[in-house]
Amino acid sequence: MAVEMLAYIDRKSPIHQLTGVSKLICFIVWSSAAMLTYDTRILAFLFIFSIVIFIVSKIKVSEVSFVLIFILVFLFINNLAIYLFSPQEGVKIYGSSHVLIEIAGRYDVTIEQIFYQCNVTLKYFAVIPVALLFIVTTHPSEFAASLNKIGVSYRISYAVALALRYIPDVQRDFRTIALSQQARGIDMSKKEKLPIRIKNAASIIFPLILSSLDKIETISNAMELRGFGKGNKRTWYSARPFQTGDYVTLVVFGIIFVTAMVVTFHDGNRFYNPFES
Amino acid sequence: MKKRVIEFNNYSFKYHSQAAPTLHDINITVFEGEKVLIVGPSGSGKSTIGHCINGLVPFSYKGEATGSLKIMGKDAHSIDIFSRSKIVGTVLQDPDGQFIGLTVGEDIAFTLENDCTEQGVMKNLVEETAKMVEMDEYLSSSIHHLSGGQKQRVSLAGVMVDKVEIILFDEPLANLDPATGQYAIELIDQIHKETNTTVVIIEHRLEDVLHRHVDRIIVVDDGLIVADMCPDKLLSSEILESSHIREPLYVRAAKYAGCDVIEEMMPSQLHSFSIETCKDKLLDWFEKANDAVPKEIKLPVLQLKDISFRYAPAHETIKGISLSVEKGEMVSIVGKNGAGKSTLSKIICGFEKPRSGSILFKAQDITGDTIKERSLRIGMVMQNPNHMISKHLVFDEVVLGLIIRGVPENEAKKKVEKVLKICGLYPFRNWPISALSFGQKKRVTIASILVLEPEVIILDEPTAGQDLRHYTEMMDFLAELNRQGMTIILITHDMHLMLEYTTRAIVMDKGRIIADDPPSVILTDSEITRQANLKETSLLFLAKRVGIKEPKEFVEHFIAYDREVRRQWQ
């Protein structure tokens, strides 16, 4: 069957047992911490801790490898762009310049720049495992309920949850369509030249959109016929009450967040500067 | 006098997106606790009637309405779609598309959630309702792991949880195999009896719905009500035939035999149908039969040898299948959902690679060929036309494959025009495909494969969503191609299709072939039909009741005769 990425992966683990709401809050807290701080020590800690959480969740790296590779490629491009557009950012931040390799004027590679970009990468690394976990360990039916509980309108929450749920369906459709187009002689393999392949890919997108629109019409009719969107509020069948584990987790994440912020900002600067003597 | 729950009075409706009205001046009254069946060919307006009742018209599909429609005595336009959903519960056609929740409990609870029911109360109500449809043990199961029949129960529970007054079924049998369909009808009947809810069923598989009693049948054709009467009276009239709706086969057989079917014979159900008066005529008709067709031995065009395949390591989807299809054959592959029919067709086309075994085309091994190479010999028409259509205009879509193969423009144009004429699409050649009906789209996809002139063509559920007229048109057209030498493989749930058009049926169950015989043999074999979720044909029971000793031959005679009659129709 088609690869199912970003779909719920069922396991028995402490992470799975947490309610969707606490996972969502933790995810938000975690990414805010990682976003606000540039303190290498904090980032390193967050990174290691997120690896630990990942291991606890019993999710295998191979199960999320596709998305992971996608993010890593994106991260690489991002790093390249930072260097291209602002090669002296590190020097500006840390106030010193140790040239490592001389290239030309402002493109000289400095230790400060490398250090800065390492920090940026570390930020990603600290957030990626947690973000992936949030998506693959939150049961889709709890997903909407959690968003709604923290104040997002239930209509939007449901839309997001449905979109996530249809990812596997769309992937399956994509594959079916690609095969049926190939059966008419449209070649998508590497044998064909790139511009033609891109053009051929369009012949998949069109039917994919059509069949997705079909699905949307059916489901929105079904929802409306059963009273969705009637009131300003709704209740949730699958919402779960908080348990001790949830409280403990929230407190731990709260402490991590506060500590991270205190350590980061106690000297009035978001950056940890190893170049100061 | 009974309460009127639905009342159409001189009601007409025109969709904004269409030029002509879909419903013309219709009058229908449905009383409390009644069970009414609405039948009609596709495009007749029967679905629109359903939409008017559940409020999708005019709240989701806009248009102009004249005349009046009252629901529970109130003007329907004053009841918005949400209040409407408290009165009318709708079970939609697509069994998978309509599930909103992921687990059984969650889906049943959906309406309650929208009513802000408190969680504890909700859980109790859900359990109570689930018990009514005997699904209370599956509350936490994922819906996608349920069987077709169980899915039907869940969608029914989802609307019953709200204690609605009217339950509307919009083509509940589409996409169900014959045995599951029969089961669904029994379930609807049971619910109707237990709750005394008013039931409206929109469906064109008349014989299947009549498996259980209905009070009244309304026939819609071209936006008009052409009949509104009890089933016995309708079946003894000529109305069904002129509206191109398939009569139950046993009634048709009786009519062919020259019997005068009248209301008093109670033809609506086979067991109540009094055939005493026409026994002799049926026996006579059968004795005159002489349909022996000599079988020629031809060369095998497609051979599968010991094919095995699996999606996941633990579960073998196809288990060592061997079969051989001869040139010029018209074969059907049947079996319940998940039996491996579609997977087998994908293996033949090269969409999936078999784990072991080989595929021969005219004695040449093609197991290693790519999809593209195989497509030169074997054409595949998918079940869902939306998975194939990639161009805006009909002509462009059909010509696509030829252009890719580098056929010169002039020649390509000629070929496409010829195919479009055969498929009855020539007048639409410059139409946008989005303006076509589902059935027409399906024909576009068939045309786009035919134009490539493959030697073997595989069609997955070719007649889904087609009414009897289009069904006959398309199948006769395929039969004609078949006579000209094309080998055709049909994957289908439709027993009429396999019975009427194919000479051989391959029955699959759990990844194996459990039977490979003429359809008349298979549909009279109770063991095979049970295993494959098929249904024995009603003709068999009729033959038994009349006292015919060779029921299989009786079925064959009917098919041959029927084919001849329908050929003259056109």
Side-chain angles (χ1 to χ4, degrees):
Chain A
M1 209 101 351
V3 274
E4 294 191 357
M5 56 175 191
L6 288 184
Y8 175 70
I9 301 171
D10 196 16
R11 291 284 139 74
K12 281 223 170 337
S13 86
I15 311 288
H16 286 77
Q17 270 165 24
L18 292 178
T19 64
V21 184
S22 25
K23 265 181 282 200
L24 180 61
I25 295 173
C26 289
F27 168 61
I28 293 170
V29 166
W30 192 266
S31 29
S32 329
M35 248 183 275
L36 287 169
T37 187
Y38 267 97
D39 193 312
T40 319
R41 297 160 300 180
I42 303 275
L43 286 175
F45 167 76
L46 291 181
F47 174 56
I48 292 164
F49 197 76
S50 66
I51 298 284
V52 173
I53 302 176
F54 196 88
I55 292 166
V56 171
S57 76
K58 295 184 189 161
I59 300 290
K60 294 192 202 93
V61 178
S62 58
E63 287 168 317
V64 290
S65 57
F66 186 82
V67 189
L68 203 59
I69 290 167
F70 186 78
I71 300 175
L72 289 181
V73 168
F74 185 75
L75 179 59
F76 177 72
I77 296 171
N78 188 11
N79 263 317
L80 220 59
I82 294 178
Y83 185 71
L84 221 58
F85 293 109
S86 154
Q88 296 298 324
E89 189 69 26
V91 174
K92 225 173 14 189
I93 292 166
Y94 299 109
S96 59
S97 174
H98 297 82
V99 179
L100 205 61
I101 309 161
E102 282 190 34
I103 298 177
R106 70 189 209 109
Y107 282 104
D108 285 349
V109 179
T110 61
I111 299 181
E112 282 81 358
Q113 181 69 12
I114 293 177
F115 185 67
Y116 166 70
Q117 293 203 277
C118 282
N119 277 325
V120 172
T121 310
L122 205 51
K123 267 169 181 286
Y124 272 93
F125 280 164
V127 177
I128 292 168
V130 179
L132 286 179
L133 276 189
F134 171 62
I135 293 172
V136 302
T137 66
T138 307
H139 196 278
S141 44
E142 241 193 296
F143 198 87
S146 327
L147 281 175
N148 183 226
K149 235 182 189 159
I150 62 156
V152 180
S153 126
Y154 76 84
R155 291 186 184 87
I156 295 171
S157 313
Y158 228 106
V160 174
L162 277 179
L164 273 180
R165 181 167 7 133
Y166 280 128
I167 290 173
D169 277 9
V170 173
Q171 286 170 340
R172 217 168 298 141
D173 276 358
F174 180 84
R175 187 154 181 266
T176 317
I177 294 165
L179 288 170
S180 83
Q181 298 296 348
Q182 283 178 55
R184 281 207 283 171
I186 298 175
D187 202 344
M188 306 282 209
S189 65
K190 285 176 185 136
K191 284 183 200 159
E192 199 60 82
K193 287 190 206 91
L194 190 67
I196 297 174
R197 266 165 74 193
I198 293 173
K199 214 178 122 201
N200 287 348
S203 69
I204 298 184
I205 302 302
F206 187 70
L208 189 64
I209 293 174
L210 272 187
S211 65
S212 305
L213 283 179
D214 254 19
K215 278 208 179 81
I216 293 170
E217 189 182 332
T218 315
I219 194 87
S220 59
N221 277 346
M223 288 170 75
E224 213 166 351
L225 285 174
R226 289 167 71 186
F228 185 81
K230 179 163 47 177
N232 290 322
K233 273 195 191 145
R234 78 195 292 276
T235 46
W236 304 87
Y237 178 79
S238 54
R240 281 186 292 163
F242 267 45
Q243 279 161 345
T244 331
D246 291 289
Y247 291 114
V248 172
T249 315
L250 284 178
V251 169
V252 170
F253 272 68
I255 294 170
I256 293 178
F257 182 73
V258 173
T259 320
M261 289 303 103
V262 169
V263 174
T264 309
F265 289 104
H266 75 116
D267 55 356
N269 190 337
R270 294 208 290 157
F271 298 93
Y272 166 70
N273 194 340
F275 305 103
E276 258 174 3
S277 48
Chain B
M1 191 173 155
K2 275 195 163 175
K3 216 164 108 189
R4 294 157 184 251
V5 291
I6 302 170
E7 244 185 307
F8 286 90
N9 268 317
N10 303 327
Y11 188 86
S12 300
F13 182 79
K14 181 177 100 60
Y15 287 103
H16 278 329
S17 55
Q18 270 163 19
T22 305
L23 298 176
H24 298 275
D25 206 23
I26 63 167
N27 288 293
I28 302 174
T29 308
V30 178
F31 296 95
E32 188 177 19
E34 249 192 321
K35 186 174 173 195
V36 176
L37 169 65
I38 301 179
V39 294
S42 51
S44 62
K46 63 179 191 302
S47 299
T48 306
I49 294 181
H51 291 162
C52 290
I53 297 171
N54 65 26
L56 283 178
V57 163
F59 298 107
S60 286
Y61 301 115
K62 308 278 180 207
E64 292 150 36
T66 57
S68 82
L69 165 60
K70 284 183 187 165
I71 288 175
M72 305 305 291
K74 274 192 268 175
D75 179 22
H77 287 260
S78 68
I79 318 172
D80 68 42
I81 192 160
F82 301 130
S83 328
R84 196 82 72 92
S85 72
K86 300 266 128 212
I87 307 169
V88 187
T90 313
V91 178
L92 292 169
Q93 178 184 123
D94 182 357
D96 288 314
Q98 64 180 297
F99 289 116
I100 305 158
L102 287 164
T103 61
V104 172
E106 208 187 327
D107 192 77
I108 298 177
F110 188 76
T111 316
L112 300 173
E113 292 180 322
N114 293 328
D115 284 336
C116 279
T117 315
E118 194 253 318
Q119 205 182 30
V121 180
M122 181 148 63
K123 296 232 155 154
N124 287 337
L125 265 174
V126 167
E127 212 178 307
E128 235 172 72
T129 317
K131 237 177 220 152
M132 286 175 74
V133 293
E134 291 160 30
M135 285 299 289
D136 49 324
E137 278 170 33
Y138 296 89
L139 282 182
S140 55
S141 311
S142 161
I143 283 179
H144 292 279
H145 296 148
L146 300 179
S147 70
Q150 288 173 322
K151 282 181 184 167
Q152 279 282 335
R153 288 168 183 233
V154 176
S155 49
L156 190 53
V159 301
M160 281 169 40
V161 76
D162 217 11
K163 310 270 182 293
V164 288
E165 321 256 351
I166 304 162
I167 304 185
L168 175 71
F169 294 88
D170 190 356
E171 305 218 15
L173 301 181
N175 307 326
L176 294 185
D177 57 49
T180 312
Q182 183 170 357
Y183 169 80
I185 290 300
E186 285 165 15
L187 181 67
I188 293 171
D189 192 57
Q190 176 201 339
I191 297 298
H192 176 244
K193 282 188 180 132
E194 282 171 12
T195 60
N196 200 33
T197 320
T198 310
V199 171
V200 178
I201 305 170
I202 298 171
E203 183 55 70
H204 66 263
R205 280 162 64 176
L206 182 62
E207 180 171 347
D208 292 336
V209 179
L210 287 178
H211 174 60
R212 284 286 181 270
H213 173 79
V214 297
D215 297 315
R216 208 141 48 90
I217 302 179
I218 294 168
V219 184
V220 189
D221 197 1
D222 236 355
L224 298 167
I225 305 290
V226 294
D228 182 351
M229 52 183 78
C230 73
D232 288 329
K233 195 168 168 195
L234 181 69
L235 290 182
S236 43
S237 73
E238 302 293 316
I239 296 166
L240 289 173
E241 213 185 320
S242 59
S243 300
H244 299 290
I245 296 158
R246 193 191 293 276
E247 288 171 292
L249 292 185
Y250 58 87
V251 175
R252 172 137 284 207
K255 286 184 181 172
Y256 283 163
C259 307
D260 201 8
V261 178
I262 51 168
E263 195 181 341
E264 285 69 32
M265 291 162 74
M266 294 193 283
S268 69
Q269 282 179 315
L270 180 57
H271 63 82
S272 66
F273 188 26
S274 53
I275 46 166
E276 295 312 316
T277 50
C278 55
K279 233 176 191 167
D280 295 337
K281 280 186 177 157
L282 275 164
L283 279 170
D284 232 34
W285 180 65
F286 176 56
E287 261 151 34
K288 273 190 286 181
N290 181 19
D291 318 300
V293 186
K295 191 167 161 24
E296 301 166 50
I297 308 275
K298 285 180 178 163
L299 290 173
V301 55
L302 184 71
Q303 284 170 288
L304 304 191
K305 284 189 177 154
D306 205 23
I307 296 283
S308 290
F309 175 79
R310 62 189 181 194
Y311 286 112
H315 184 76
E316 202 93 346
T317 315
I318 300 287
K319 299 169 188 159
I321 280 192
S322 298
L323 68 89
S324 163
V325 178
E326 284 162 25
K327 187 168 165 41
E329 260 194 313
M330 191 138 157
V331 186
S332 49
I333 301 180
V334 295
K336 56 185 158 197
N337 290 334
K341 312 183 296 272
S342 291
T343 308
L344 190 66
S345 68
K346 283 180 184 165
I347 291 172
I348 296 173
C349 295
F351 292 3
E352 305 286 358
K353 293 245 169 303
R355 211 163 56 84
S356 66
S358 57
I359 304 170
L360 305 183
F361 190 89
K362 288 189 175 163
Q364 179 192 347
D365 194 331
I366 58 163
T367 321
D369 283 11
T370 63
I371 297 177
K372 200 176 160 182
E373 284 161 338
R374 282 196 215 184
S375 71
L376 298 173
R377 299 170 166 137
I378 306 166
M380 165 89 177
V381 181
M382 305 263 206
Q383 186 171 0
N384 184 349
N386 288 339
H387 281 158
M388 297 182 69
I389 292 167
S390 61
K391 293 285 177 205
H392 183 57
L393 299 176
V394 173
F395 185 90
D396 295 351
E397 176 64 30
V398 179
V399 84
L400 181 68
L402 291 175
I403 292 177
I404 290 165
R405 290 192 183 168
V407 177
E409 203 177 316
N410 253 339
E411 197 185 325
K413 195 174 173 217
K414 261 185 222 148
K415 281 189 178 179
V416 171
E417 282 179 354
K418 189 175 151 220
V419 166
L420 286 177
K421 274 178 195 155
I422 300 174
C423 295
L425 289 166
Y426 190 70
F428 305 108
R429 63 194 180 284
N430 294 321
W431 278 39
I433 295 173
S434 54
L436 302 180
S437 73
F438 183 85
Q440 288 168 327
K441 279 185 194 166
K442 189 100 198 184
R443 274 186 279 161
V444 170
T445 60
I446 294 178
S448 67
I449 294 299
L450 281 180
V451 79
L452 301 175
E453 294 163 352
E455 287 177 67
V456 176
I457 185 166
I458 304 177
L459 299 109
D460 198 346
E461 293 290 352
T463 52
Q466 311 267 356
D467 60 42
L468 187 59
R469 186 168 45 204
H470 289 126
Y471 166 99
T472 311
E473 255 172 47
M474 175 144 54
M475 287 315 299
D476 285 346
F477 156 60
L478 286 174
E480 179 56 39
L481 287 173
N482 178 242
R483 269 190 291 278
Q484 289 169 15
M486 185 181 279
T487 312
I488 299 177
I489 301 174
L490 303 165
I491 297 168
T492 184
H493 276 324
D494 189 339
M495 298 200 318
H496 296 299
L497 176 62
M498 76 183 244
L499 201 55
E500 288 167 359
Y501 287 95
T502 62
T503 47
R504 175 180 163 204
I506 296 166
V507 186
M508 287 184 69
D509 186 40
K510 297 191 187 111
R512 290 183 206 282
I513 292 176
I514 56 167
D516 185 347
D517 275 307
S520 51
V521 176
I522 284 166
L523 289 181
T524 47
D525 182 331
S526 60
E527 182 53 30
I528 295 292
T529 49
R530 192 189 54 75
Q531 260 192 60
N533 261 11
L534 297 167
K535 221 173 67 185
E536 285 168 281
T537 166
S538 57
L539 292 170
L540 173 70
F541 298 107
L542 180 70
K544 281 182 184 161
R545 281 192 57 193
V546 173
I548 290 169
K549 288 192 187 64
E550 309 92 0
K552 192 168 70 66
E553 281 75 15
F554 179 77
V555 173
E556 273 162 14
H557 175 54
F558 174 83
I559 297 162
Y561 192 93
D562 186 57
R563 211 174 275 161
E564 208 40 59
V565 171
R566 278 197 293 153
R567 194 167 296 150
Q568 288 157 11
W569 260 24
Q570 290 176 2

